[in-house]
Amino acid sequence: MTTPETSVGQRLVIAGGSGFLGRAMTRFFAAQGWEVVILSRSRPQHPLPARWVGWDGVNQGEWARELDGAAALLNLAGRSVNCRYTAANMLDIYASRLDSTRALGRAAAAAASPPPVWLNSSTATIYRDARDRPQDEAAGEQGQGFSVDVAQRWEAAFLEADLPNIRRVALRTAMVYGVGEGGVMETTDRVVRLGGAGPMAGGGQRVSWIHEQDFCRAVAFLIASDLSGPVNVSAPESPTNAEFLRAYRKAWEVPLGVPSTTFLIQLGARVMGSEAELLLKSRWAAPGRLLSAGFTFDFTAWPHAIETLVAQARREGHQGR
């Protein structure tokens, strides 16, 4: 087993790296010759080209040594928001993000040779319900409510440590679509293939998204760049909900999508243990800073992206399960 001292490649430390996005990032960077270290509470269930180091997301421990000499730190830790917003769940959502971010900040401050760049997850839902114009980093208007407050507190925790030698980037990420267990596509596929993916509450709300491949490429681009602060990690085009689902149905060759009202969405979300806001809020994030810095997307149009992903799912035998 390689150690931080003997590795010949650059080291990327991914906190919360055992989930869908962490697995995608691990495969991408390992293919580029990086040494990848995953920090997570439990050992990843899927074989990955990475070293696993246990951590609890709160306390300092042996895991903190991995930051010393690392080329980059990526924090993906945080409980899924796909749940009912009960008091207990809201507390877990806050704690899983704020505690892990602060723990990494303390470890970075104590490292003799800390990573020169730290990318921390945030969310594109920090912006208001936008149906009139896209929201970029310069002119975007932040919204209100629980999910926005989570994002604001998360970014504040990310910046509170005194780390003058570390460039920090807050990843205001849209929904990342890719094939594999635990991804948002896994859930959406079921709804589409069962015929339940007609326009939702009129279908006028915008849907911000990014292809898994472009998400990984954007992170690599940001590590190599000199950008700091908030960056929208989202495809340039955000279709309406009706357009989004129409292209999704076409890719899966599902001719029918039953429309749903706001009331039915609220009822269904309660039954499924989720929140209607995840489907009803109009998210229209624009990647202004990425585009201005010269990043080029492989997938800019949603129909092309979902056709590619569905073809991959069929090849790999997922078939919307």
Side-chain angles (χ1 to χ4, degrees), residues 60-81:
Q60 300 298 291
E62 288 298 312
W63 64 266
R65 296 179 55 205
E66 301 297 336
L67 273 62
D68 201 1
L73 169 63
L74 172 63
N75 181 22
L76 301 173
R79 178 197 165 133
S80 170
V81 296

Side-chain angles (χ1 to χ4, degrees), residues 167-189:
R167 178 169 55 88
R168 282 174 278 189
V169 182
L171 303 171
R172 292 181 177 174
T173 307
M175 291 189 297
V176 181
Y177 273 82
V179 177
E181 180 182 343
V184 65
M185 185 175 171
E186 184 179 50
T187 301
T188 314
D189 280 356

Side-chain angles (χ1 to χ4, degrees), residues 45 49 55-56 60 75 79 125 130 147 162 183 192 196 200 211 289:
Q45 298 180 352
W55 82 324
D56 63 4
Q60 300 298 291
N75 181 22
R79 178 197 165 133
T125 201
S147 58
D162 183 19
V192 171
M200 297 179 175
H211 191 289
R289 299 193 70 198

Side-chain angles (χ1 to χ4, degrees), residues 148-277:
V148 172
D149 188 64
V150 170
Q152 292 170 336
R153 292 173 184 261
W154 201 1
E155 291 189 5
F158 178 42
L159 297 175
E160 68 185 25
D162 183 19
L163 302 169
N165 297 319
I166 299 179
R167 178 169 55 88
R168 282 174 278 189
V169 182
L171 303 171
R172 292 181 177 174
T173 307
M175 291 189 297
V176 181
Y177 273 82
V179 177
E181 180 182 343
V184 65
M185 185 175 171
E186 184 179 50
T187 301
T188 314
D189 280 356
R190 296 192 187 102
V191 177
V192 171
R193 289 170 64 78
L194 288 172
M200 297 179 175
Q205 64 271 39
R206 295 283 177 164
V207 181
S208 288
W209 61 279
I210 187 169
H211 191 289
E212 170 195 322
Q213 179 176 309
D214 278 337
F215 175 77
C216 294
R217 294 178 56 249
V219 168
F221 179 87
L222 289 167
I223 289 174
S225 76
D226 59 0
L227 292 178
S228 62
V231 174
N232 290 352
V233 187
S234 177
E237 298 180 11
S238 294
T240 64
N241 170 268
E243 294 166 341
F244 182 87
L245 293 173
R246 186 183 305 120
Y248 217 131
R249 295 194 306 270
K250 181 179 179 181
W252 273 117
E253 298 178 347
V254 175
L256 178 65
V258 178
S260 52
T261 64
T262 298
F263 173 76
L264 287 176
I265 292 170
Q266 292 171 335
L267 180 63
R270 181 174 292 275
V271 170
M272 296 178 66
S274 186
E275 288 289 335
E277 179 203 34

